[in-house]
PDB file of all heavy atoms in Angstrom:
ATOM      1  N   SER A   1      -0.070  -4.669   1.240  1.00 95.00           N
ATOM      2  CA  SER A   1      -0.920  -5.783   0.813  1.00 95.00           C
ATOM      3  C   SER A   1      -1.871  -5.345  -0.300  1.00 95.00           C
ATOM      4  O   SER A   1      -2.092  -6.072  -1.269  1.00 95.00           O
ATOM      5  CB  SER A   1      -1.730  -6.321   1.996  1.00 95.00           C
ATOM      6  OG  SER A   1      -0.877  -6.774   3.016  1.00 95.00           O
ATOM      7  N   ARG A   2      -2.417  -4.140  -0.154  1.00 95.00           N
ATOM      8  CA  ARG A   2      -3.330  -3.630  -1.174  1.00 95.00           C
ATOM      9  C   ARG A   2      -2.595  -3.373  -2.486  1.00 95.00           C
ATOM     10  O   ARG A   2      -3.127  -3.629  -3.568  1.00 95.00           O
ATOM     11  CB  ARG A   2      -4.007  -2.344  -0.693  1.00 95.00           C
ATOM     12  CG  ARG A   2      -5.021  -2.571   0.413  1.00 95.00           C
ATOM     13  CD  ARG A   2      -6.160  -1.577   0.349  1.00 95.00           C
ATOM     14  NE  ARG A   2      -6.948  -1.755  -0.863  1.00 95.00           N
ATOM     15  CZ  ARG A   2      -7.319  -0.749  -1.666  1.00 95.00           C
ATOM     16  NH1 ARG A   2      -6.935   0.475  -1.410  1.00 95.00           N
ATOM     17  NH2 ARG A   2      -8.042  -0.976  -2.731  1.00 95.00           N
ATOM     18  N   LEU A   3      -1.373  -2.861  -2.397  1.00 95.00           N
ATOM     19  CA  LEU A   3      -0.576  -2.640  -3.608  1.00 95.00           C
ATOM     20  C   LEU A   3      -0.321  -3.963  -4.329  1.00 95.00           C
ATOM     21  O   LEU A   3      -0.396  -4.036  -5.559  1.00 95.00           O
ATOM     22  CB  LEU A   3       0.750  -1.962  -3.261  1.00 95.00           C
ATOM     23  CG  LEU A   3       0.741  -0.433  -3.149  1.00 95.00           C
ATOM     24  CD1 LEU A   3       2.093   0.068  -2.643  1.00 95.00           C
ATOM     25  CD2 LEU A   3       0.414   0.217  -4.496  1.00 95.00           C
ATOM     26  N   GLU A   4      -0.008  -5.004  -3.566  1.00 95.00           N
ATOM     27  CA  GLU A   4       0.210  -6.327  -4.169  1.00 95.00           C
ATOM     28  C   GLU A   4      -1.035  -6.780  -4.925  1.00 95.00           C
ATOM     29  O   GLU A   4      -0.956  -7.264  -6.062  1.00 95.00           O
ATOM     30  CB  GLU A   4       0.565  -7.343  -3.081  1.00 95.00           C
ATOM     31  CG  GLU A   4       1.940  -7.130  -2.456  1.00 95.00           C
ATOM     32  CD  GLU A   4       2.169  -8.015  -1.238  1.00 95.00           C
ATOM     33  OE1 GLU A   4       1.383  -8.969  -1.040  1.00 95.00           O
ATOM     34  OE2 GLU A   4       3.118  -7.755  -0.474  1.00 95.00           O
ATOM     35  N   THR A   5      -2.207  -6.612  -4.288  1.00 94.00           N
ATOM     36  CA  THR A   5      -3.471  -7.016  -4.916  1.00 94.00           C
ATOM     37  C   THR A   5      -3.739  -6.201  -6.170  1.00 94.00           C
ATOM     38  O   THR A   5      -4.168  -6.734  -7.204  1.00 94.00           O
ATOM     39  CB  THR A   5      -4.640  -6.834  -3.920  1.00 94.00           C
ATOM     40  OG1 THR A   5      -4.346  -7.550  -2.725  1.00 94.00           O
ATOM     41  CG2 THR A   5      -5.945  -7.337  -4.502  1.00 94.00           C
ATOM     42  N   MET A   6      -3.483  -4.888  -6.096  1.00 94.00           N
ATOM     43  CA  MET A   6      -3.737  -4.014  -7.252  1.00 94.00           C
ATOM     44  C   MET A   6      -2.815  -4.356  -8.418  1.00 94.00           C
ATOM     45  O   MET A   6      -3.239  -4.337  -9.577  1.00 94.00           O
ATOM     46  CB  MET A   6      -3.590  -2.545  -6.844  1.00 94.00           C
ATOM     47  CG  MET A   6      -4.715  -2.047  -5.951  1.00 94.00           C
ATOM     48  SD  MET A   6      -4.673  -0.264  -5.637  1.00 94.00           S
ATOM     49  CE  MET A   6      -3.427  -0.140  -4.380  1.00 94.00           C
ATOM     50  N   VAL A   7      -1.554  -4.658  -8.113  1.00 93.00           N
ATOM     51  CA  VAL A   7      -0.615  -5.028  -9.179  1.00 93.00           C
ATOM     52  C   VAL A   7      -1.070  -6.323  -9.851  1.00 93.00           C
ATOM     53  O   VAL A   7      -1.008  -6.459 -11.081  1.00 93.00           O
ATOM     54  CB  VAL A   7       0.822  -5.165  -8.627  1.00 93.00           C
ATOM     55  CG1 VAL A   7       1.746  -5.762  -9.686  1.00 93.00           C
ATOM     56  CG2 VAL A   7       1.356  -3.806  -8.194  1.00 93.00           C
ATOM     57  N   LEU A   8      -1.571  -7.265  -9.056  1.00 91.00           N
ATOM     58  CA  LEU A   8      -2.076  -8.527  -9.612  1.00 91.00           C
ATOM     59  C   LEU A   8      -3.249  -8.288 -10.557  1.00 91.00           C
ATOM     60  O   LEU A   8      -3.420  -9.006 -11.545  1.00 91.00           O
ATOM     61  CB  LEU A   8      -2.500  -9.478  -8.487  1.00 91.00           C
ATOM     62  CG  LEU A   8      -1.367 -10.238  -7.787  1.00 91.00           C
ATOM     63  CD1 LEU A   8      -1.894 -10.969  -6.563  1.00 91.00           C
ATOM     64  CD2 LEU A   8      -0.711 -11.237  -8.757  1.00 91.00           C
ATOM     65  N   GLN A   9      -4.062  -7.261 -10.269  1.00 88.00           N
ATOM     66  CA  GLN A   9      -5.174  -6.918 -11.166  1.00 88.00           C
ATOM     67  C   GLN A   9      -4.659  -6.442 -12.518  1.00 88.00           C
ATOM     68  O   GLN A   9      -5.308  -6.634 -13.547  1.00 88.00           O
ATOM     69  CB  GLN A   9      -6.032  -5.810 -10.541  1.00 88.00           C
ATOM     70  CG  GLN A   9      -6.827  -6.244  -9.328  1.00 88.00           C
ATOM     71  CD  GLN A   9      -7.552  -5.076  -8.670  1.00 88.00           C
ATOM     72  OE1 GLN A   9      -7.766  -4.030  -9.291  1.00 88.00           O
ATOM     73  NE2 GLN A   9      -7.923  -5.227  -7.419  1.00 88.00           N
ATOM     74  N   GLY A  10      -3.481  -5.819 -12.505  1.00 84.00           N
ATOM     75  CA  GLY A  10      -2.926  -5.287 -13.751  1.00 84.00           C
ATOM     76  C   GLY A  10      -2.013  -6.246 -14.469  1.00 84.00           C
ATOM     77  O   GLY A  10      -1.656  -6.014 -15.624  1.00 84.00           O
ATOM     78  N   ALA A  11      -1.600  -7.323 -13.789  1.00 82.00           N
ATOM     79  CA  ALA A  11      -0.680  -8.286 -14.422  1.00 82.00           C
ATOM     80  C   ALA A  11      -0.899  -9.663 -13.827  1.00 82.00           C
ATOM     81  O   ALA A  11      -0.138 -10.118 -12.964  1.00 82.00           O
ATOM     82  CB  ALA A  11       0.763  -7.839 -14.229  1.00 82.00           C
ATOM     83  N   GLU A  12      -1.950 -10.318 -14.264  1.00 78.00           N
ATOM     84  CA  GLU A  12      -2.244 -11.666 -13.761  1.00 78.00           C
ATOM     85  C   GLU A  12      -1.112 -12.613 -14.162  1.00 78.00           C
ATOM     86  O   GLU A  12      -0.597 -12.559 -15.265  1.00 78.00           O
ATOM     87  CB  GLU A  12      -3.571 -12.167 -14.342  1.00 78.00           C
ATOM     88  CG  GLU A  12      -4.784 -11.443 -13.765  1.00 78.00           C
ATOM     89  CD  GLU A  12      -6.083 -12.005 -14.308  1.00 78.00           C
ATOM     90  OE1 GLU A  12      -6.092 -13.177 -14.690  1.00 78.00           O
ATOM     91  OE2 GLU A  12      -7.068 -11.250 -14.363  1.00 78.00           O
ATOM     92  N   GLY A  13      -0.756 -13.466 -13.240  1.00 81.00           N
ATOM     93  CA  GLY A  13       0.295 -14.433 -13.538  1.00 81.00           C
ATOM     94  C   GLY A  13       1.674 -13.979 -13.114  1.00 81.00           C
ATOM     95  O   GLY A  13       2.625 -14.771 -13.118  1.00 81.00           O
ATOM     96  N   LEU A  14       1.817 -12.714 -12.742  1.00 87.00           N
ATOM     97  CA  LEU A  14       3.115 -12.219 -12.276  1.00 87.00           C
ATOM     98  C   LEU A  14       3.397 -12.811 -10.901  1.00 87.00           C
ATOM     99  O   LEU A  14       2.541 -12.755 -10.007  1.00 87.00           O
ATOM    100  CB  LEU A  14       3.088 -10.690 -12.191  1.00 87.00           C
ATOM    101  CG  LEU A  14       4.432  -9.953 -12.098  1.00 87.00           C
ATOM    102  CD1 LEU A  14       5.233 -10.155 -13.375  1.00 87.00           C
ATOM    103  CD2 LEU A  14       4.201  -8.466 -11.858  1.00 87.00           C
ATOM    104  N   PRO A  15       4.572 -13.432 -10.695  1.00 92.00           N
ATOM    105  CA  PRO A  15       4.870 -14.060  -9.399  1.00 92.00           C
ATOM    106  C   PRO A  15       4.817 -13.034  -8.258  1.00 92.00           C
ATOM    107  O   PRO A  15       5.244 -11.891  -8.414  1.00 92.00           O
ATOM    108  CB  PRO A  15       6.297 -14.591  -9.576  1.00 92.00           C
ATOM    109  CG  PRO A  15       6.518 -14.656 -11.043  1.00 92.00           C
ATOM    110  CD  PRO A  15       5.683 -13.575 -11.649  1.00 92.00           C
ATOM    111  N   LEU A  16       4.287 -13.467  -7.117  1.00 91.00           N
ATOM    112  CA  LEU A  16       4.146 -12.578  -5.963  1.00 91.00           C
ATOM    113  C   LEU A  16       5.502 -12.052  -5.505  1.00 91.00           C
ATOM    114  O   LEU A  16       5.621 -10.895  -5.083  1.00 91.00           O
ATOM    115  CB  LEU A  16       3.445 -13.318  -4.812  1.00 91.00           C
ATOM    116  CG  LEU A  16       3.006 -12.456  -3.621  1.00 91.00           C
ATOM    117  CD1 LEU A  16       2.090 -11.327  -4.062  1.00 91.00           C
ATOM    118  CD2 LEU A  16       2.316 -13.319  -2.559  1.00 91.00           C
ATOM    119  N   GLU A  17       6.528 -12.869  -5.609  1.00 92.00           N
ATOM    120  CA  GLU A  17       7.872 -12.458  -5.216  1.00 92.00           C
ATOM    121  C   GLU A  17       8.350 -11.285  -6.074  1.00 92.00           C
ATOM    122  O   GLU A  17       8.947 -10.324  -5.574  1.00 92.00           O
ATOM    123  CB  GLU A  17       8.841 -13.644  -5.370  1.00 92.00           C
ATOM    124  CG  GLU A  17      10.272 -13.362  -4.938  1.00 92.00           C
ATOM    125  CD  GLU A  17      10.413 -13.125  -3.442  1.00 92.00           C
ATOM    126  OE1 GLU A  17       9.639 -13.734  -2.673  1.00 92.00           O
ATOM    127  OE2 GLU A  17      11.276 -12.327  -3.046  1.00 92.00           O
ATOM    128  N   ALA A  18       8.047 -11.351  -7.375  1.00 93.00           N
ATOM    129  CA  ALA A  18       8.438 -10.268  -8.289  1.00 93.00           C
ATOM    130  C   ALA A  18       7.663  -8.989  -7.977  1.00 93.00           C
ATOM    131  O   ALA A  18       8.200  -7.883  -8.067  1.00 93.00           O
ATOM    132  CB  ALA A  18       8.194 -10.695  -9.741  1.00 93.00           C
ATOM    133  N   ILE A  19       6.389  -9.149  -7.588  1.00 94.00           N
ATOM    134  CA  ILE A  19       5.560  -7.986  -7.239  1.00 94.00           C
ATOM    135  C   ILE A  19       6.116  -7.307  -5.991  1.00 94.00           C
ATOM    136  O   ILE A  19       6.257  -6.081  -5.942  1.00 94.00           O
ATOM    137  CB  ILE A  19       4.091  -8.417  -7.013  1.00 94.00           C
ATOM    138  CG1 ILE A  19       3.476  -8.890  -8.323  1.00 94.00           C
ATOM    139  CG2 ILE A  19       3.279  -7.265  -6.408  1.00 94.00           C
ATOM    140  CD1 ILE A  19       2.096  -9.506  -8.178  1.00 94.00           C
ATOM    141  N   LYS A  20       6.451  -8.102  -4.981  1.00 95.00           N
ATOM    142  CA  LYS A  20       7.011  -7.549  -3.744  1.00 95.00           C
ATOM    143  C   LYS A  20       8.318  -6.807  -4.026  1.00 95.00           C
ATOM    144  O   LYS A  20       8.577  -5.730  -3.477  1.00 95.00           O
ATOM    145  CB  LYS A  20       7.250  -8.678  -2.729  1.00 95.00           C
ATOM    146  CG  LYS A  20       5.979  -9.280  -2.128  1.00 95.00           C
ATOM    147  CD  LYS A  20       6.332 -10.411  -1.169  1.00 95.00           C
ATOM    148  CE  LYS A  20       5.106 -11.122  -0.638  1.00 95.00           C
ATOM    149  NZ  LYS A  20       4.333 -10.328   0.324  1.00 95.00           N
ATOM    150  N   GLN A  21       9.138  -7.392  -4.902  1.00 94.00           N
ATOM    151  CA  GLN A  21      10.405  -6.765  -5.256  1.00 94.00           C
ATOM    152  C   GLN A  21      10.173  -5.436  -5.973  1.00 94.00           C
ATOM    153  O   GLN A  21      10.861  -4.435  -5.704  1.00 94.00           O
ATOM    154  CB  GLN A  21      11.214  -7.713  -6.152  1.00 94.00           C
ATOM    155  CG  GLN A  21      12.681  -7.330  -6.300  1.00 94.00           C
ATOM    156  CD  GLN A  21      13.455  -7.430  -4.997  1.00 94.00           C
ATOM    157  OE1 GLN A  21      13.453  -8.478  -4.350  1.00 94.00           O
ATOM    158  NE2 GLN A  21      14.111  -6.352  -4.594  1.00 94.00           N
ATOM    159  N   GLN A  22       9.166  -5.424  -6.836  1.00 93.00           N
ATOM    160  CA  GLN A  22       8.822  -4.209  -7.575  1.00 93.00           C
ATOM    161  C   GLN A  22       8.374  -3.103  -6.617  1.00 93.00           C
ATOM    162  O   GLN A  22       8.784  -1.944  -6.739  1.00 93.00           O
ATOM    163  CB  GLN A  22       7.691  -4.536  -8.565  1.00 93.00           C
ATOM    164  CG  GLN A  22       7.317  -3.414  -9.495  1.00 93.00           C
ATOM    165  CD  GLN A  22       8.116  -3.407 -10.767  1.00 93.00           C
ATOM    166  OE1 GLN A  22       9.302  -3.124 -10.749  1.00 93.00           O
ATOM    167  NE2 GLN A  22       7.483  -3.712 -11.885  1.00 93.00           N
ATOM    168  N   ILE A  23       7.528  -3.465  -5.657  1.00 96.00           N
ATOM    169  CA  ILE A  23       7.021  -2.482  -4.686  1.00 96.00           C
ATOM    170  C   ILE A  23       8.159  -1.947  -3.827  1.00 96.00           C
ATOM    171  O   ILE A  23       8.308  -0.738  -3.629  1.00 96.00           O
ATOM    172  CB  ILE A  23       5.923  -3.114  -3.786  1.00 96.00           C
ATOM    173  CG1 ILE A  23       4.690  -3.456  -4.614  1.00 96.00           C
ATOM    174  CG2 ILE A  23       5.556  -2.178  -2.630  1.00 96.00           C
ATOM    175  CD1 ILE A  23       3.657  -4.291  -3.878  1.00 96.00           C
ATOM    176  N   ALA A  24       8.996  -2.864  -3.321  1.00 95.00           N
ATOM    177  CA  ALA A  24      10.081  -2.477  -2.409  1.00 95.00           C
ATOM    178  C   ALA A  24      11.117  -1.586  -3.084  1.00 95.00           C
ATOM    179  O   ALA A  24      11.695  -0.695  -2.445  1.00 95.00           O
ATOM    180  CB  ALA A  24      10.754  -3.727  -1.853  1.00 95.00           C
ATOM    181  N   SER A  25      11.350  -1.802  -4.373  1.00 94.00           N
ATOM    182  CA  SER A  25      12.347  -0.981  -5.064  1.00 94.00           C
ATOM    183  C   SER A  25      11.767   0.339  -5.564  1.00 94.00           C
ATOM    184  O   SER A  25      12.509   1.291  -5.817  1.00 94.00           O
ATOM    185  CB  SER A  25      12.960  -1.762  -6.236  1.00 94.00           C
ATOM    186  OG  SER A  25      11.961  -2.149  -7.153  1.00 94.00           O
ATOM    187  N   ALA A  26      10.426   0.411  -5.698  1.00 95.00           N
ATOM    188  CA  ALA A  26       9.791   1.631  -6.215  1.00 95.00           C
ATOM    189  C   ALA A  26       9.422   2.604  -5.104  1.00 95.00           C
ATOM    190  O   ALA A  26       9.666   3.809  -5.207  1.00 95.00           O
ATOM    191  CB  ALA A  26       8.546   1.275  -7.024  1.00 95.00           C
ATOM    192  N   VAL A  27       8.801   2.106  -4.041  1.00 96.00           N
ATOM    193  CA  VAL A  27       8.315   2.982  -2.962  1.00 96.00           C
ATOM    194  C   VAL A  27       9.397   3.129  -1.895  1.00 96.00           C
ATOM    195  O   VAL A  27       9.874   2.141  -1.341  1.00 96.00           O
ATOM    196  CB  VAL A  27       7.018   2.414  -2.339  1.00 96.00           C
ATOM    197  CG1 VAL A  27       6.517   3.343  -1.226  1.00 96.00           C
ATOM    198  CG2 VAL A  27       5.944   2.225  -3.398  1.00 96.00           C
ATOM    199  N   ASP A  28       9.769   4.369  -1.600  1.00 97.00           N
ATOM    200  CA  ASP A  28      10.808   4.622  -0.591  1.00 97.00           C
ATOM    201  C   ASP A  28      10.218   4.913   0.787  1.00 97.00           C
ATOM    202  O   ASP A  28      10.713   4.442   1.801  1.00 97.00           O
ATOM    203  CB  ASP A  28      11.674   5.817  -1.011  1.00 97.00           C
ATOM    204  CG  ASP A  28      12.406   5.565  -2.323  1.00 97.00           C
ATOM    205  OD1 ASP A  28      12.977   4.471  -2.462  1.00 97.00           O
ATOM    206  OD2 ASP A  28      12.395   6.452  -3.198  1.00 97.00           O
ATOM    207  N   ILE A  29       9.163   5.714   0.804  1.00 98.00           N
ATOM    208  CA  ILE A  29       8.585   6.189   2.063  1.00 98.00           C
ATOM    209  C   ILE A  29       7.061   6.047   2.015  1.00 98.00           C
ATOM    210  O   ILE A  29       6.431   6.376   0.998  1.00 98.00           O
ATOM    211  CB  ILE A  29       8.934   7.674   2.326  1.00 98.00           C
ATOM    212  CG1 ILE A  29      10.449   7.884   2.405  1.00 98.00           C
ATOM    213  CG2 ILE A  29       8.232   8.191   3.597  1.00 98.00           C
ATOM    214  CD1 ILE A  29      11.106   7.335   3.654  1.00 98.00           C
ATOM    215  N   ILE A  30       6.471   5.550   3.110  1.00 98.00           N
ATOM    216  CA  ILE A  30       5.014   5.532   3.247  1.00 98.00           C
ATOM    217  C   ILE A  30       4.637   6.428   4.423  1.00 98.00           C
ATOM    218  O   ILE A  30       5.156   6.270   5.530  1.00 98.00           O
ATOM    219  CB  ILE A  30       4.467   4.108   3.483  1.00 98.00           C
ATOM    220  CG1 ILE A  30       4.792   3.196   2.288  1.00 98.00           C
ATOM    221  CG2 ILE A  30       2.951   4.151   3.698  1.00 98.00           C
ATOM    222  CD1 ILE A  30       4.346   1.753   2.482  1.00 98.00           C
ATOM    223  N   ILE A  31       3.732   7.382   4.160  1.00 98.00           N
ATOM    224  CA  ILE A  31       3.209   8.254   5.216  1.00 98.00           C
ATOM    225  C   ILE A  31       1.765   7.836   5.453  1.00 98.00           C
ATOM    226  O   ILE A  31       0.935   7.886   4.532  1.00 98.00           O
ATOM    227  CB  ILE A  31       3.267   9.737   4.798  1.00 98.00           C
ATOM    228  CG1 ILE A  31       4.713  10.153   4.512  1.00 98.00           C
ATOM    229  CG2 ILE A  31       2.661  10.629   5.886  1.00 98.00           C
ATOM    230  CD1 ILE A  31       4.839  11.543   3.896  1.00 98.00           C
ATOM    231  N   HIS A  32       1.462   7.391   6.669  1.00 97.00           N
ATOM    232  CA  HIS A  32       0.105   6.919   6.959  1.00 97.00           C
ATOM    233  C   HIS A  32      -0.666   7.952   7.775  1.00 97.00           C
ATOM    234  O   HIS A  32      -0.190   8.436   8.805  1.00 97.00           O
ATOM    235  CB  HIS A  32       0.132   5.584   7.709  1.00 97.00           C
ATOM    236  CG  HIS A  32      -1.241   5.012   7.931  1.00 97.00           C
ATOM    237  ND1 HIS A  32      -2.004   4.519   6.907  1.00 97.00           N
ATOM    238  CD2 HIS A  32      -1.999   4.903   9.054  1.00 97.00           C
ATOM    239  CE1 HIS A  32      -3.169   4.113   7.378  1.00 97.00           C
ATOM    240  NE2 HIS A  32      -3.195   4.344   8.683  1.00 97.00           N
ATOM    241  N   LEU A  33      -1.862   8.282   7.297  1.00 97.00           N
ATOM    242  CA  LEU A  33      -2.733   9.250   7.960  1.00 97.00           C
ATOM    243  C   LEU A  33      -3.965   8.542   8.516  1.00 97.00           C
ATOM    244  O   LEU A  33      -4.355   7.482   8.026  1.00 97.00           O
ATOM    245  CB  LEU A  33      -3.180  10.337   6.976  1.00 97.00           C
ATOM    246  CG  LEU A  33      -2.104  10.978   6.091  1.00 97.00           C
ATOM    247  CD1 LEU A  33      -2.747  11.963   5.135  1.00 97.00           C
ATOM    248  CD2 LEU A  33      -1.054  11.673   6.941  1.00 97.00           C
ATOM    249  N   SER A  34      -4.573   9.153   9.512  1.00 95.00           N
ATOM    250  CA  SER A  34      -5.771   8.558  10.085  1.00 95.00           C
ATOM    251  C   SER A  34      -6.699   9.632  10.622  1.00 95.00           C
ATOM    252  O   SER A  34      -6.259  10.712  11.016  1.00 95.00           O
ATOM    253  CB  SER A  34      -5.397   7.587  11.215  1.00 95.00           C
ATOM    254  OG  SER A  34      -6.510   6.840  11.623  1.00 95.00           O
ATOM    255  N   ARG A  35      -7.989   9.302  10.638  1.00 92.00           N
ATOM    256  CA  ARG A  35      -8.983  10.170  11.259  1.00 92.00           C
ATOM    257  C   ARG A  35      -9.344   9.531  12.592  1.00 92.00           C
ATOM    258  O   ARG A  35      -9.882   8.427  12.642  1.00 92.00           O
ATOM    259  CB  ARG A  35     -10.211  10.277  10.361  1.00 92.00           C
ATOM    260  CG  ARG A  35     -11.132  11.393  10.761  1.00 92.00           C
ATOM    261  CD  ARG A  35     -12.184  11.590   9.719  1.00 92.00           C
ATOM    262  NE  ARG A  35     -12.961  12.777  10.015  1.00 92.00           N
ATOM    263  CZ  ARG A  35     -14.023  13.144   9.327  1.00 92.00           C
ATOM    264  NH1 ARG A  35     -14.397  12.426   8.294  1.00 92.00           N
ATOM    265  NH2 ARG A  35     -14.692  14.216   9.647  1.00 92.00           N
ATOM    266  N   LEU A  36      -9.050  10.223  13.667  1.00 92.00           N
ATOM    267  CA  LEU A  36      -9.160   9.642  15.000  1.00 92.00           C
ATOM    268  C   LEU A  36     -10.558   9.803  15.591  1.00 92.00           C
ATOM    269  O   LEU A  36     -11.447  10.380  14.973  1.00 92.00           O
ATOM    270  CB  LEU A  36      -8.102  10.261  15.912  1.00 92.00           C
ATOM    271  CG  LEU A  36      -6.658  10.120  15.386  1.00 92.00           C
ATOM    272  CD1 LEU A  36      -5.674  10.783  16.330  1.00 92.00           C
ATOM    273  CD2 LEU A  36      -6.292   8.656  15.180  1.00 92.00           C
ATOM    274  N   ARG A  37     -10.731   9.289  16.803  1.00 90.00           N
ATOM    275  CA  ARG A  37     -12.065   9.242  17.420  1.00 90.00           C
ATOM    276  C   ARG A  37     -12.680  10.616  17.652  1.00 90.00           C
ATOM    277  O   ARG A  37     -13.906  10.744  17.737  1.00 90.00           O
ATOM    278  CB  ARG A  37     -12.010   8.471  18.739  1.00 90.00           C
ATOM    279  CG  ARG A  37     -11.050   9.046  19.773  1.00 90.00           C
ATOM    280  CD  ARG A  37     -11.024   8.202  21.042  1.00 90.00           C
ATOM    281  NE  ARG A  37     -10.091   8.734  22.022  1.00 90.00           N
ATOM    282  CZ  ARG A  37      -8.806   8.432  22.069  1.00 90.00           C
ATOM    283  NH1 ARG A  37      -8.285   7.599  21.167  1.00 90.00           N
ATOM    284  NH2 ARG A  37      -8.032   8.953  23.004  1.00 90.00           N
ATOM    285  N   ASP A  38     -11.857  11.658  17.768  1.00 89.00           N
ATOM    286  CA  ASP A  38     -12.388  13.013  17.948  1.00 89.00           C
ATOM    287  C   ASP A  38     -12.539  13.741  16.613  1.00 89.00           C
ATOM    288  O   ASP A  38     -12.706  14.959  16.579  1.00 89.00           O
ATOM    289  CB  ASP A  38     -11.498  13.820  18.898  1.00 89.00           C
ATOM    290  CG  ASP A  38     -10.086  14.020  18.335  1.00 89.00           C
ATOM    291  OD1 ASP A  38      -9.748  13.373  17.314  1.00 89.00           O
ATOM    292  OD2 ASP A  38      -9.324  14.803  18.913  1.00 89.00           O
ATOM    293  N   LYS A  39     -12.463  12.970  15.501  1.00 85.00           N
ATOM    294  CA  LYS A  39     -12.619  13.472  14.124  1.00 85.00           C
ATOM    295  C   LYS A  39     -11.417  14.280  13.634  1.00 85.00           C
ATOM    296  O   LYS A  39     -11.454  14.829  12.531  1.00 85.00           O
ATOM    297  CB  LYS A  39     -13.898  14.319  13.963  1.00 85.00           C
ATOM    298  CG  LYS A  39     -15.169  13.664  14.483  1.00 85.00           C
ATOM    299  CD  LYS A  39     -15.452  12.352  13.781  1.00 85.00           C
ATOM    300  CE  LYS A  39     -16.739  11.718  14.293  1.00 85.00           C
ATOM    301  NZ  LYS A  39     -16.992  10.392  13.696  1.00 85.00           N
ATOM    302  N   SER A  40     -10.364  14.380  14.443  1.00 88.00           N
ATOM    303  CA  SER A  40      -9.163  15.095  13.992  1.00 88.00           C
ATOM    304  C   SER A  40      -8.359  14.197  13.058  1.00 88.00           C
ATOM    305  O   SER A  40      -8.419  12.968  13.150  1.00 88.00           O
ATOM    306  CB  SER A  40      -8.305  15.510  15.192  1.00 88.00           C
ATOM    307  OG  SER A  40      -7.813  14.368  15.874  1.00 88.00           O
ATOM    308  N   ARG A  41      -7.619  14.830  12.154  1.00 89.00           N
ATOM    309  CA  ARG A  41      -6.788  14.089  11.202  1.00 89.00           C
ATOM    310  C   ARG A  41      -5.331  14.211  11.621  1.00 89.00           C
ATOM    311  O   ARG A  41      -4.830  15.320  11.769  1.00 89.00           O
ATOM    312  CB  ARG A  41      -6.989  14.624   9.786  1.00 89.00           C
ATOM    313  CG  ARG A  41      -8.409  14.462   9.255  1.00 89.00           C
ATOM    314  CD  ARG A  41      -8.584  15.169   7.919  1.00 89.00           C
ATOM    315  NE  ARG A  41      -9.890  14.915   7.331  1.00 89.00           N
ATOM    316  CZ  ARG A  41     -10.961  15.662   7.515  1.00 89.00           C
ATOM    317  NH1 ARG A  41     -10.870  16.730   8.297  1.00 89.00           N
ATOM    318  NH2 ARG A  41     -12.112  15.366   6.943  1.00 89.00           N
ATOM    319  N   LYS A  42      -4.673  13.081  11.788  1.00 93.00           N
ATOM    320  CA  LYS A  42      -3.287  13.082  12.264  1.00 93.00           C
ATOM    321  C   LYS A  42      -2.404  12.229  11.357  1.00 93.00           C
ATOM    322  O   LYS A  42      -2.860  11.268  10.728  1.00 93.00           O
ATOM    323  CB  LYS A  42      -3.196  12.511  13.686  1.00 93.00           C
ATOM    324  CG  LYS A  42      -4.030  13.243  14.737  1.00 93.00           C
ATOM    325  CD  LYS A  42      -3.440  14.577  15.113  1.00 93.00           C
ATOM    326  CE  LYS A  42      -4.209  15.211  16.266  1.00 93.00           C
ATOM    327  NZ  LYS A  42      -3.763  16.586  16.550  1.00 93.00           N
TER     328      LYS A  42
END
């Protein structure tokens, strides 16, 4: 969702469908990290 918003900042007027297609064809893998309640990073 954030990538969609950021792309819109760089190309106003670009259809959302085209943006989603661009993201899906460009990004292969997303690795999500988090800092948990005990301050450890996982």
Side-chain angles (χ1 to χ4, degrees):
S1 300
R2 289 212 65 227
L3 275 173
E4 290 171 14
T5 305
M6 289 188 281
V7 171
L8 281 171
Q9 291 174 20
E12 289 183 26
L14 196 65
L16 190 57
E17 182 67 32
I19 293 172
K20 289 178 185 288
Q21 195 65 54
Q22 186 89 291
I23 294 170
S25 59
V27 181
D28 298 314
I29 300 288
I30 298 177
I31 300 171
H32 185 70
L33 313 177
S34 190
R35 194 171 188 185
L36 304 179
R37 59 182 179 273
D38 63 350
K39 309 301 181 184
S40 64
R41 297 173 174 91
K42 302 287 186 187

